[in-house]
Amino acid sequence: MRSWARLALVVGLLIAGFWPDRVDGLMVGNVIPNPAKPGLWQEAVANLTALKAITFNEVPINAPLPKAFTDRTSLKSLALYNCGINGPIPSDIAKLTNLEQLNINVNGLLDDPKTGLTGPIPAAICNLTKLVQLSLQQNSLTGRIPDCIDRLTKLEGLTLIRNLLSGPLPSTIGGLSSIRALSLDDNFITGPLPRSLGNLSSLEYLELSNNMVDHDVPREMAQMAKIVAIRLRNNRLTGAIPSELGRIGSLAELQLGLNRISGPIPAALGGARSLGELALDHNDLDGAIPPELGNVCSGRRRFCTVDLSHNRLGGALPPAFVNVRADPPADGGEPFLGRFVIDVSHNVLSGPLPAYRGKDLATLVAHHNRFTGGFPLEYAAIASVDLSYNRLSDLTETGRLPANYSDPFALQYRISELRLAGNRFCGNFPQWLFKMPSIRALDISANSFYGALPPAAFNFAEMTELNVSHNRFSRSLPGDPFKNNSRGSLVMALDLHHNGFYGPVPASFLTGSLSLVGCLYLDLSENRLWGPLPDSFAGIGPDEVLSFGFYPKRIDFSDNFLSGRLPSSIGKLKYLEFLDMSNNDFVGSIPASYANLERLTYSNFSGNVLS
């Protein structure tokens, strides 16, 4: 019988109390221990003298590594997953001279750094020269990686993530001639990256994120001819990005975000023909964005992300960088629909926005820069656009809509989210917004819009979020404002606060054909609304809507001139978390029904005439 063909049989024999000595594979999982016979399983395993593979999954050993596992030279695979193995790795592990796979994973608890395997990785582990896979992730191992690690010349995978390892990486790590995956995330590794990493000609995945590695990124890493992913996020790396990295034809992912890297972005990175994820965010990069980075999202890929946010990049946004486009299929079949994301937020980019002629950009995040001019209508071909907190001021129509925008089957030409908050727009509500009826989320807050907010602003067919706060709009609230919304799109956030809306709140505003059914966030504060507030809140979030998970959580009518009694129907909004009715002219007492608001964490009724 072959090694793994006996596993189900072995479990049954163990339960029956019969211990055969010819079984060479043992897999046990989700065992409930018998307190009347502690340690019996160790005796049973010791009797299985021909074992070559042991796998325990969620077996509550909750003890140091038993000798029943280490006292056998025949063993080729030892895998213990979530078994509560604790204490140091014993030196007699060196007896497992034929071991090819050693996996002792997820024994420590994330909220308790003293659980699982503890102490240093012993040098004795370097005697296991036949190891192909070594994984000790999520334990509490401390100290440095042993200098003798280069003796494991057959090792293809080394996984030590989520431990307490410290000190610099040994220069001997470059001797792991067969290594394909080196995963050391979430430790306390310090010091520079060894130049010897360039010797790892078989390495495909280098994962060192969330450590304290410092100094520069070695140019020698460009010699890793098979590398697919370099993940060095959240360290203390300094210096410039080596331009040589752009010569790695296999590199698909480069993550250097949350470091202290400085200087310009090398244009040569655009030459990494396989690169599809580039994260350089939260560094000290300066200079202009190289137009060559437009090549990063080229090719036949469907997904691509370029994150350059939170740096000091300046100059204009290169058209070639924005106009990404996937290559058409070589066989002439259906074209790829790319879902590309570009984030250049929190920089000092300036000038007008370039025209967009691409078709595969799904998300453009460019808030907190210094862009000027107007909003290019070509951007209606991008699903999500965030240009908040720039210096846009031109309300005239800029550019033209995409040629295929009116085609209901051209799904890539459909803007659904547009954010223009915190710019310098001044004037009436822009009419060109109505040329983009596919908008679902619209934020034009913190500008200087004035005049009447047209009823059509509420009537985008699929509107789910509307924010016009911190402007100077003035008019009475419409009754049944969202009557043209499709049944499948419920307005979940409506923010009209800090404007000049006046007059009473119509009951139909709350309970029209759709109106605010299921609204999560409703803010009409800091306006000039007056009169009684309709006692119609029971109509928000009826049972048939609640079944889909829409629950009003925030209601704010503060700083108006509302009068009369507080609506008792608010007490039926059992998922409400925030309620502010302060600084109005409400009279009477707080309704007893408000005691039913068990999830309420903030309420304010001050500045009224309540008794």
Side-chain angles (χ1 to χ4, degrees), residues 79-135:
L80 307 173
Y81 302 105
N82 197 17
C83 295
I85 303 295
N86 55 53
I89 299 174
S91 58
D92 61 357
I93 200 168
K95 298 178 181 178
L96 303 177
T97 53
N98 288 302
L99 201 63
E100 298 175 1
Q101 294 189 21
L102 176 59
N103 302 322
I104 307 178
N105 294 333
V106 196
N107 292 285
L109 302 175
L110 289 177
D111 56 353
D112 188 350
K114 297 181 180 180
T115 55
L117 293 172
T118 58
I121 299 173
I125 213 162
C126 299
N127 293 330
L128 309 181
T129 56
K130 294 184 179 180
L131 271 182
V132 176
Q133 177 70 40
L134 174 59
S135 181

Side-chain angles (χ1 to χ4, degrees), residues 253-269:
E253 181 180 342
L254 178 60
Q255 292 195 17
L256 299 175
L258 284 166
N259 279 285
R260 303 170 185 175
I261 298 171
S262 58
I265 299 174
L269 287 181

